Amino acid sequence: MPDYTAEPFRIKMVEPIHLISLAARQAAMLQAGFNLFALRAEDVYIDLLTDSGTGTMSQAQWAAIMEGDESYAGARSYFHLAESMKAIFGFEYFVPTHQGRAAENILSAILVKPGMFVPSNMHFDTTDANIRARGGRPTNLVAAAAFDPTLQHPFKGNMDVEKLHAFIRQVGPQNIPFGTITITNNAGGGQPVSLENIRAVAAAYRQYKIPFFIDACRFAENSFFIKLREPGYASKSTLEIAHEIFALADGAWMSAKKDALVNIGGFLAMRDPDVYQKVCNELILREGFPTYGGLAGRDLEAMAVGLWEGLDEAYLAYRVGQTAYLGERLLEAGIPIIEPTGGHAIYLDAGRFLTHIPQAEFPGQALAAALYLEGAVRGVEIGSVMFAHPDPDTGEMVFPQLELVRLAIPRRVYTQAHLDYVAEALIRLAQKRNNLRGYRITYSPALLRHFTARFEPL
Ligand SMILES: Cc1ncc(COP(=O)(O)O)c(C=O)c1O
């Protein structure tokens, strides 16, 4: 059995969960159109759909919530959050948003014009969709290592810096309203990005005077991986590493539902006062006044505390250890996953798990559905349902390089026994993998179809 890093906390409040019968799971899936997003959460036993907003808050966060100042403008809670923001990220300006995609929407609304390009290592689905919604073209330039699921590389989230230079020259810097990088790279396996790479990416953007905004959802996990894996950083704190990262950028946005350990919240931060002004105007239209931005005062307080807890190294060692533990259990059983394990999730390689199901029949969807039916475990497809799209020039379907099912681990929620349960359900499934069949889409909206699509088994 692999090692398990014990929890650096004890449990003071519990929420019951139940395992419903196989017949009830089958009925639930039929009702949901075989889309796991459409299930009732109560019909799920271990919910690994997302690590976003699903974590457990600490006693310090709940205490801070009681102190929330609900004033419309200039609330004390805003200034508490501003202190944490300044001390961790160091940007001159920021606005709270209700979650990450609201920040993406606002940034895209003020900067992206139709036909413009936004490079990244890999855009997450909401970033991709927000840029496309403004007529922009999100472009993924992650290094080739990301697409080799078994390659043991410490920073598989790195951007291909040569490709980035070539890309900027090809489309012209005037057609790139901002450049970004996602830390860690959620769409590509939760893999970290090295500081060396962030530095090179920042230099490239700076050379062409392109503003550099970091998608910082999992900045603390990424900082911890830099400490563990990048030469020269072992004796630096995750806070010092975070300082080094954000000093390289013109701004950042974050879904605080991840490494800030809150159930709702986000921000958009920047250095440029003109951009800040435009952001405020857009924010007032869509989210709220700049000192609350779509959140209650109590949410701002929870975030102000959670940002620090997310950086705690005892917590991070346990967090990254949990993911590694589940990964090792699966690898021991010969179940293909993206290696090495990243920060927040295990990514099952459905392409290798179900080699008999072609991409057009959604192997990731087939695996995710089978795992629910097997053990009431909910993951999420990150493959052709999420990312296949018609090429804007030729109309031909472009399939992603990897067909994955993400098992995201909520923060401070599940124990070792829960992870063992998940591993055992997958081990049983592996024994009957040849019986699994693909799916056909029966309904699909134009954007972000994975949330609401409906399916039929083939
Ligand atoms: C890398 C990344 N960027 C952006 C987002 C969007 O954040 P939110 O879900 O808070 O809108 C997410 C959340 O899933 C994410 O993982």
Side-chain angles (χ1 to χ4, degrees):
M1 209 53 114
D3 287 342
Y4 183 87
T5 309
E7 284 77 5
F9 52 80
R10 53 188 179 180
I11 297 165
K12 190 140 76 170
M13 190 186 285
V14 295
E15 179 183 7
I17 51 175
H18 304 283
L19 177 59
I20 62 170
S21 68
L22 175 61
R25 301 200 288 273
Q26 285 165 334
M29 277 296 255
L30 208 54
Q31 173 94 30
F34 294 90
N35 185 333
L36 300 182
F37 280 102
L39 290 172
R40 291 176 64 108
E42 287 189 334
D43 292 341
V44 177
Y45 182 49
I46 306 292
D47 203 346
L48 308 181
L49 181 69
T50 175
D51 63 323
S52 181
T54 51
T56 299
M57 287 204 292
S58 67
Q59 59 183 5
Q61 285 177 293
W62 283 110
I65 276 180
M66 296 307 291
E67 301 204 343
D69 174 355
E70 306 301 343
S71 303
Y72 187 94
R76 185 177 62 240
S77 303
Y78 165 79
F79 292 103
H80 286 165
L81 176 59
E83 274 171 36
S84 298
M85 289 292 304
K86 188 79 188 159
I88 296 170
F89 300 99
F91 294 111
E92 280 77 358
Y93 307 100
F94 87 98
V95 292
T97 58
H98 80 275
Q99 60 184 90
R101 72 197 66 185
E104 292 164 356
N105 181 13
I106 289 163
L107 192 63
S108 301
I110 65 166
L111 294 180
V112 178
K113 304 276 177 293
M116 286 183 156
F117 297 84
V118 180
S120 183
N121 48 351
M122 285 178 90
H123 294 275
F124 193 62
D125 62 349
T126 57
T127 326
D128 185 286
N130 268 302
I131 294 165
R132 283 184 202 281
R134 304 286 166 183
R137 293 192 182 192
T139 307
N140 295 334
L141 300 172
V142 72
F147 300 110
D148 182 346
T150 55
L151 180 75
Q152 298 298 319
H153 185 293
F155 293 105
K156 285 169 100 171
N158 281 357
M159 180 131 49
D160 183 329
V161 179
E162 263 179 44
K163 257 198 207 162
L164 175 63
H165 278 278
F167 178 77
I168 297 172
R169 283 196 298 271
Q170 183 204 329
V171 305
Q174 71 284 3
N175 294 316
I176 303 180
F178 69 97
T180 180
I181 197 162
T182 312
I183 60 171
T184 57
N185 181 19
N186 187 4
Q191 298 290 323
V193 181
S194 71
L195 238 164
E196 185 186 24
N197 189 253
I198 300 173
R199 211 175 286 119
V201 167
Y205 289 141
R206 200 174 325 110
Q207 181 181 336
Y208 297 98
K209 299 193 165 48
I210 297 165
F212 175 28
F213 281 79
I214 296 178
D215 179 346
C217 293
R218 299 178 181 83
F219 79 98
E221 289 170 10
N222 201 101
S223 299
F224 193 62
F225 278 119
I226 289 172
K227 183 182 172 80
L228 294 181
R229 296 181 182 173
E230 189 159 351
Y233 288 94
S235 62
K236 298 223 168 164
S237 69
T238 46
L239 177 63
E240 287 169 320
I241 294 168
H243 286 161
E244 232 179 282
I245 294 173
F246 293 103
L248 294 164
D250 300 299
W253 77 90
M254 175 169 179
S255 168
K257 300 166 73 172
K258 282 81 172 177
D259 280 2
L261 288 155
V262 289
N263 301 123
I264 196 75
F267 68 75
L268 174 57
M270 68 234 85
R271 300 193 195 283
D272 183 332
D274 294 336
V275 172
Y276 175 62
Q277 194 58 59
K278 288 186 187 136
V279 164
C280 284
N281 295 341
E282 194 70 24
L283 187 87
I284 289 169
L285 189 64
R286 299 180 187 285
E287 289 281 284
F289 191 72
T291 61
Y292 74 87
L295 292 173
R298 64 184 82 104
D299 301 326
L300 302 174
E301 292 284 357
M303 206 199 303
V305 175
L307 279 168
W308 289 111
E309 292 186 1
L311 279 167
D312 179 81
E313 290 175 19
Y315 155 74
L316 283 165
Y318 141 79
R319 166 90 180 135
V320 166
Q322 248 198 348
T323 310
Y325 173 81
L326 179 56
E328 279 169 43
R329 280 224 54 190
L330 298 178
L331 285 172
E332 273 177 7
I335 294 171
I337 63 168
I338 300 242
E339 297 173 57
T341 49
H344 67 292
I346 292 298
Y347 290 70
L348 302 169
D349 188 342
R352 278 189 295 141
F353 195 85
L354 301 173
T355 45
H356 59 289
I357 301 182
Q359 281 192 291
E361 295 177 9
F362 309 116
Q365 161 66 17
L367 178 54
L371 182 58
Y372 174 73
L373 290 169
E374 181 64 33
V377 176
R378 174 158 70 168
V380 67
E381 192 260 15
I382 299 199
S384 287
V385 176
M386 194 179 269
F387 287 121
H389 64 275
D391 183 287
D393 299 323
T394 66
E396 227 173 88
M397 209 45 143
V398 184
F399 289 100
Q401 274 174 273
L402 293 174
E403 294 289 341
L404 306 173
V405 173
R406 187 188 68 178
L407 304 178
I409 304 180
R411 293 168 180 77
R412 306 190 289 206
V413 171
Y414 291 118
T415 64
Q416 182 176 11
H418 291 126
L419 299 186
D420 285 335
Y421 174 89
V422 173
E424 279 145 27
L426 274 161
I427 291 165
R428 289 196 303 278
L429 210 51
Q431 283 154 9
K432 42 188 164 182
R433 69 175 90 181
N434 292 334
N435 302 335
L436 302 189
R437 294 283 164 267
Y439 278 78
R440 188 174 80 77
I441 291 184
T442 57
Y443 162 74
S444 163
L447 280 176
L448 296 174
R449 68 178 177 177
H450 52 287
F451 288 122
T452 53
R454 294 180 72 82
F455 303 89
E456 225 171 52
L458 288 167

